[in-house]
Amino acid sequence: MTVQLTRMDPAGADRHALVAFLTTEEFPFHVRRTISVEDAQRAIDDGAWRDDDHDSFWLDSDEHGRFGVVRLEDLADPVPLFDLRISGTHRGRGLGVPALRATTDHVFRTMVDAERFEGQTREDNTAMRRTFLGAGWVKEAHYRAGWPVEGGPALASVGYGMLRADWESGTTTPVPWDDDPITGGRGTR
């Protein structure tokens, strides 16, 4: 399945559709499950969807039509991040991996200085964690109690990365987890 990224005009022609998408969907694994119209409009007005540090795209496929959005973040930094949101009616259809691959391809083809691309999800978002692995990304971090949860205790934030060299070669460079020079990765207890 091919996924296309269609660049969005969030403050112009796509404003109404973006606000509708953000405010009529529930995003159970994001910091905020729901977004109010006012908050969505404020974020657009403040440049969170397009400015020097952000850009945004619709996710489209011939088979499923428009099924989500992806926002690139930290574009002024050599290590960009992303926020991927798939509509509830399209979740569970195998769109995550091709969407992440298309996003990764876009970043490395258009951002010549980016040597790596990063993303995070919370520990209980098994669908996104499988998406990262299915798209060839590597787990690089597990931040205990690092993801705030409305109305509950913080969960772990799990970080993944893709290196340009791995993307170009189609390989995966593992993380050396057991390289502690003192304990050999065994801990001290």
Side-chain angles (χ1 to χ4, degrees):
M1 167 190 324
T2 301
V3 171
Q4 299 89 31
L5 273 62
T6 305
R7 192 163 191 238
M8 193 185 294
D9 180 8
D14 292 308
R15 182 184 181 93
H16 179 74
L18 178 58
V19 169
F21 177 81
L22 294 172
T23 61
T24 60
E25 294 286 339
E26 186 170 305
F27 303 103
F29 296 105
H30 282 72
V31 173
R32 293 174 50 205
R33 292 179 70 97
T34 60
I35 302 171
S36 71
V37 171
E38 296 77 19
D39 286 345
Q41 290 174 338
R42 186 177 314 109
I44 292 168
D45 293 341
D46 290 346
W49 291 86
R50 163 109 17 89
D51 63 10
D52 291 342
D53 219 24
H54 301 88
D55 205 355
S56 53
F57 301 84
W58 295 111
L59 298 170
D60 298 308
S61 81
D62 291 338
E63 183 179 341
H64 297 280
R66 183 152 289 162
F67 65 88
V69 299
V70 64
R71 178 176 54 171
L72 300 178
E73 304 171 352
D74 293 343
L75 296 178
D77 189 290
V79 183
L81 301 164
F82 72 93
D83 175 15
L84 177 70
R85 295 173 188 256
I86 295 176
S87 71
T89 58
H90 288 92
R91 292 181 200 140
R93 295 185 181 193
L95 294 165
V97 169
L100 183 53
R101 284 184 178 148
T103 303
T104 305
D105 291 347
H106 172 80
V107 165
F108 287 130
R109 286 186 178 131
T110 62
M111 297 181 67
V112 296
D113 293 332
E115 290 300 320
R116 55 181 285 112
F117 188 26
E118 293 180 358
Q120 292 190 30
T121 192
R122 48 189 247 190
E123 66 183 312
D124 61 341
N125 190 349
T126 55
M128 189 64 206
R129 293 180 71 180
R130 285 186 191 121
T131 295
F132 277 120
L133 297 176
W137 287 51
V138 174
K139 179 183 173 185
E140 297 179 334
H142 198 100
Y143 300 105
R144 298 169 297 157
W147 192 287
V149 176
E150 284 182 309
L155 295 173
S157 178
V158 186
Y160 292 82
M162 172 64 78
L163 301 176
R164 176 183 290 279
D166 285 359
W167 172 77
E168 290 174 340
S169 67
T171 61
T172 300
T173 305
V175 174
W177 290 109
D178 297 326
D179 69 337
D180 185 300
I182 296 170
T183 67
R186 294 182 309 275
T188 58
R189 290 187 177 184

